[in-house]
Amino acid sequence: MSADQPRVLVVEDEPAQREVLAYNLEAEGFAVSSAENGEEALMLVDETAPDVIVLDWMMPNLSGIEVCRRLKIKSETRSIPIIMLSARSEEVDRVRGLETGADDYVIKPYSVIELMARVRSQLRRVRPAAAGERLEYEDIVLDSVSHRVNRGEAELKLGPTEFRLLSTFMEKPGRVFSREQLLDRVWGRDIYVDTRTVDVHIGRLRKALTQHGGSDPLRTVRGAGYALG
């Protein structure tokens, strides 16, 4: 799994449905993790927060509605988009799902093609670079498709790690990322990297951003991490 691959968590108690969803999401380029019940889903989210969650409503013990409610009341997971899947087609059920915090509601049986489009739509909202969007911050422009970065009229030469770091910062300007969060997003949890490595690559990114002049847009927050702006 590539560190910059968008991550989707599929929560579905029916094995056949879970496998179909995972297969199609992986074919779309997503890194997929799966849970067969609500308790496992909450555990996986605590371990590695996904970019999007596809969540079945009707599950034994802990329902999808309850999983959604618990995730949306926690500040750490509140912003993760949740697409609720349900055979309940009544308006009152759709309203209940959305009011609980679901960002989208899809009625079973659903079109896999449409569901993939809805996942990509939610991804564009939270990780535009991973969805192939062009990002801009002041005079810095990052094109994730062509893998190019410009500042003003000058094209900047960035290594792959510095490019992923800049993408992460430009998706959420002003947000402070801890070293651990940057390690998770840029390097991935499957690889052990010392947190001091982050400082080295931040230094390289700063040098690249100012190689043709201009002020350093990165901000060091003592005891907390780094931010853009």
Side-chain angles (χ1 to χ4, degrees):
M1 179 180 69
S2 169
D4 55 351
Q5 249 184 309
R7 304 167 184 163
V8 178
L9 172 61
V10 174
V11 189
E12 169 64 74
D13 64 322
E14 295 182 20
Q17 291 280 341
R18 195 166 61 245
E19 289 174 13
V20 166
L21 284 171
Y23 173 83
N24 282 278
L25 285 163
E26 286 172 352
E28 290 283 323
F30 296 104
V32 181
S33 53
S34 301
E36 62 181 22
N37 56 60
E39 292 88 347
E40 185 183 6
L42 292 173
M43 181 184 69
L44 289 175
V45 171
D46 281 341
E47 289 178 357
T48 305
D51 295 304
V52 181
I53 299 174
V54 179
L55 176 65
D56 184 36
W57 179 324
M58 298 297 290
M59 292 186 294
N61 301 322
L62 198 63
S63 70
I65 281 285
E66 179 60 19
V67 171
C68 181
R69 188 190 69 79
R70 293 189 188 186
L71 291 173
K72 292 299 183 179
I73 62 174
K74 292 175 63 178
S75 60
E76 300 90 343
T77 55
R78 187 177 298 144
S79 62
I80 302 174
I82 295 175
I83 300 175
M84 185 77 73
L85 305 179
S86 178
R88 297 169 177 257
S89 59
E90 297 295 324
E91 181 181 27
V92 64
D93 295 315
R94 294 198 300 273
V95 170
R96 183 184 173 196
L98 295 169
E99 286 186 341
T100 304
D103 298 88
D104 201 353
Y105 190 97
V106 178
I107 298 170
K108 294 182 176 181
Y110 50 79
S111 158
V112 172
I113 294 174
E114 180 185 350
L115 181 57
M116 295 301 108
R118 288 174 182 261
V119 171
R120 288 193 298 271
S121 175
Q122 293 298 329
L123 182 66
R124 280 195 296 272
R125 185 165 64 83
V126 292
R127 284 197 63 193
E133 298 287 304
R134 173 179 156 128
L135 303 180
E136 296 186 21
Y137 175 79
E138 295 184 350
D139 61 343
I140 303 169
V141 178
L142 182 148
D143 190 320
S144 57
V145 175
S146 64
H147 222 264
R148 290 180 174 174
V149 177
N150 286 74
R151 186 167 192 185
E153 298 298 319
E155 183 174 346
L156 307 183
K157 302 299 181 184
L158 270 64
T161 301
E162 287 71 43
F163 186 89
R164 290 196 298 270
L165 272 172
L166 184 58
S167 295
T168 299
F169 287 126
M170 290 185 70
E171 284 176 342
K172 301 203 180 283
R175 174 180 168 178
V176 178
F177 289 90
S178 69
R179 290 172 176 83
E180 291 74 17
Q181 289 171 327
L182 292 172
L183 282 173
D184 183 28
R185 177 61 65 88
V186 176
W187 281 267
R189 290 207 170 188
D190 299 332
I191 301 173
Y192 174 75
V193 180
D194 190 282
T195 53
R196 286 172 295 184
T197 303
V198 175
D199 300 332
V200 173
H201 286 278
I202 289 289
R204 291 176 182 171
L205 177 57
R206 281 181 155 142
K207 185 176 180 180
L209 290 172
T210 57
Q211 63 186 281
H212 298 292
S215 60
D216 179 6
L218 297 179
R219 178 165 52 95
T220 301
V221 182
R222 190 174 297 277
Y226 299 99
L228 177 66

